[in-house]
């Protein structure tokens, strides 16, 4: 072994075991915290953990579960486990008593080994809970028993229904038994931020890049779509997301990528006339805010024809799912997408003229 390789090996081990030590320490501290919380509860009150730590579209899709659990346990103390990057999605939910910003799965495992919670509701698939630094998986026994994995989960319904099943809240392959429309809890600070952007009255929001390449549509076709929209309709076009891969020169286009928090992005989408995007987090924001959506979708891995949404998008009451049977999103042609968008925008123009 060379000296350089020896240094690399022990640097890796140092970071790994330092991380594990910190995670376990934080887990023991969390045990003490929740034991103190439990001591303050009445004997009839349950201390309930809900685990859905990522991704932000999944957390939005799972929001009705918080209301459903509250209906089952009106006086329960509900704690939602979430990664720090996504905490704002649950911070303002009135049905949740406390948001636990999880350091990693080893911290959670250390906490749960203390048997502090009266009930743990895991909204996680099998093979879906991994810490790359600890290099460990933490499995959900309900998902294992029901054989719900990252390879077959859409065989069990939409995301909300799947999460409710992995949490042992409903029988296998059952519809969600309560209000299934996801909600977003926007605050005055989010409205104030978006006010400062001075957006026009009529604009369309675009989200053009997901966190999973197979869901994406090529950048050159997005650019063609923007150019066509700008030349044909009287709408400003606003792109949101983490970053943009587009090269657009039209004055009708504005790039807000990387400038907004998740809920600020939600407020921008709420104000938009239309949302055009991918099967990704911002499309769940659009569903939750009631903005009409045009969602570019396709076959995804093992799932040839699926609908991840509940509520209005799930019933296709406020959305057009732009897809062709058996084709991945990247194979949708510009002309096909343009015609689907044109149908929606022309119909809107006709309604506006009549009124």
């Amino acid at each position: 072994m060379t000296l350089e390789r020896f240094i690399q090996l022990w640097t890796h081990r140092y970071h790994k075991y330092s991380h594990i030590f910190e995670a376990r320490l934080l887990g023991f501290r969390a045990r003490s915290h929740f034991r103190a919380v439990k001591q303050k509860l009445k004997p009839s009150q349950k201390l309930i953990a809900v685990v859905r730590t990522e991704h932000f579209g999944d957390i939005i899709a799972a929001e009705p579960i918080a209301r459903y659990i509250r209906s089952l346990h009106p006086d329960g103390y509900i704690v939602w486990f979430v990664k720090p990057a996504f905490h704002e999605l649950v911070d303002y939910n009135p049905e949740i008593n406390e948001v636990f910003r999880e350091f990693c799965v080893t911290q959670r495992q250390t906490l749960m080994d203390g048997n502090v919670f009266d009930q743990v509701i895991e909204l996680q698939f099998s093979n879906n809970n991994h810490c790359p630094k600890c290099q460990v998986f933490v499995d959900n026994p309900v998902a294992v028993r029901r054989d719900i994995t990252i390879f077959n989960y859409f065989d069990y319904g939409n995301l909300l229904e799947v999460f409710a099943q992995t949490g042992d809240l409903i029988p296998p392959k059952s519809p969600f038994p309560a209000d299934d429309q996801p909600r977003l809890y926007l605050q005055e600070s989010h409205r104030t931020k978006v006010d400062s952007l001075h957006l026009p009255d009529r604009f369309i929001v675009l989200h053009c890049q997901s966190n999973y390449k197979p869901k994406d549509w090529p950048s050159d076709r997005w650019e063609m779509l923007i150019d066509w929209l700008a030349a044909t309709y009287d709408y400003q076009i606003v792109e949101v997301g983490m970053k943009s891969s587009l090269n657009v020169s039209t004055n009708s286009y504005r790039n807000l990528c990387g400038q907004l928090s998740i809920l600020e992005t939600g407020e921008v989408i709420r104000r938009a006339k239309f949302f055009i995007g991918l099967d990704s987090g911002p499309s769940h924001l659009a569903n939750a805010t009631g903005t009409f959506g045009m969602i570019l979708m396709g076959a995804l891995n093992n799932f040839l024809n699926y609908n991840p949404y509940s509520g209005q998008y799930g019933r296709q009451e406020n959305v057009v799912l732009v897809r062709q049977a058996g084709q991945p999103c990247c194979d949708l042609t510009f002309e096909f997408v343009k015609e689907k968008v044109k149908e929606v925008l022309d119909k809107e123009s006709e309604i506006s003229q009549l009124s």
Side-chain angles (χ1 to χ4, degrees), residues 6 9 14 40 54 106 116 144 149 167 188 226 268 303 335:
F6 178 82
L9 175 63
Y14 170 77
K40 296 177 182 178
E54 57 178 342
T106 297
V116 181
V144 171
T149 74
E188 186 60 35
I226 291 170
V268 170
F303 311 116
E335 287 298 328

Side-chain angles (χ1 to χ4, degrees), residues 37-257:
V37 169
K38 194 169 184 178
Q39 287 177 354
K40 296 177 182 178
L41 300 180
K42 298 176 183 177
S44 62
Q45 289 181 282
K46 278 190 172 184
L47 181 60
I48 301 169
V50 183
V51 182
R52 183 68 235 176
T53 60
E54 57 178 342
H55 301 274
F56 90 74
D58 292 349
I59 296 168
I60 296 167
E63 184 277 334
I65 288 176
R67 286 179 272 134
Y68 183 58
I69 295 171
R70 177 59 67 199
S71 73
L72 299 175
H73 304 282
D75 63 346
Y77 191 93
I78 300 172
V79 181
W80 193 290
F81 284 62
V82 67
K83 287 191 173 181
F86 308 118
H87 71 89
E88 64 178 313
L89 287 168
V90 286
D91 279 348
Y92 308 105
N93 190 321
E95 310 301 345
I96 296 170
N97 298 94
E98 184 173 341
V99 176
F100 184 78
R101 302 184 190 186
E102 181 177 287
F103 178 73
C104 81
V105 295
T106 297
Q107 178 204 27
R108 188 200 326 145
Q109 191 174 37
T110 303
L111 166 58
M112 295 304 180
D113 285 346
N115 297 315
V116 181
F117 289 91
D118 298 302
Q119 185 174 357
V120 178
I121 300 170
E122 295 244 19
L123 311 182
Q124 313 276 121
F125 315 139
S126 186
N127 314 117
N128 185 228
N129 227 197
H130 177 237
C131 176
K133 290 188 177 180
C134 298
Q135 297 178 329
V136 296
F137 278 91
V138 176
D139 239 328
N140 174 0
V142 177
V144 171
R145 171 164 48 86
R146 295 186 174 189
D147 190 32
I148 303 175
T149 74
I150 58 173
F151 304 108
N152 67 9
Y153 60 98
F154 275 128
D155 296 339
Y156 291 79
N158 62 44
L159 285 175
L160 173 62
E161 292 166 342
V162 173
F163 294 147
Q165 290 171 69
T166 63
D168 213 11
L169 294 168
I170 61 175
K173 299 189 178 181
S174 298
F176 191 69
D179 178 15
D180 69 347
Q181 176 62 44
R183 298 178 188 174
L184 211 59
Y185 299 95
L186 299 169
Q187 304 297 301
E188 186 60 35
S189 61
H190 308 125
R191 291 185 280 271
T192 300
K193 171 64 177 181
V194 176
D195 284 344
S196 73
L197 301 174
H198 303 293
L199 296 170
D201 292 333
R202 289 168 54 84
F203 67 96
I204 297 172
V205 167
L206 267 60
H207 179 247
C208 310
Q209 192 172 10
S210 74
N211 66 351
Y212 187 50
K213 199 68 177 174
K215 294 182 178 182
D216 287 348
W217 198 47
S219 297
D220 61 330
R221 287 176 225 171
W222 279 113
E223 292 165 2
M224 292 167 66
L225 184 67
I226 291 170
D227 288 341
W228 170 74
L229 286 169
T232 311
Y233 297 97
D234 183 26
Y235 288 104
Q236 289 289 304
I237 299 144
V238 176
E239 185 184 359
V240 299
M242 292 292 292
K243 61 181 180 179
S244 177
S245 61
L246 306 184
N247 183 14
V248 180
S249 58
T250 176
N251 292 330
S252 297
Y253 166 82
R254 183 172 178 182
N255 179 7
L256 293 180
C257 294

Side-chain angles (χ1 to χ4, degrees), residues 281-305:
S283 66
H284 289 276
L285 290 173
N287 187 22
T289 56
T291 299
F292 191 99
M294 289 163 266
I295 312 300
L296 281 58
M297 297 177 63
L300 178 66
N301 300 332
N302 301 326
F303 311 116
L304 299 181
N305 186 32

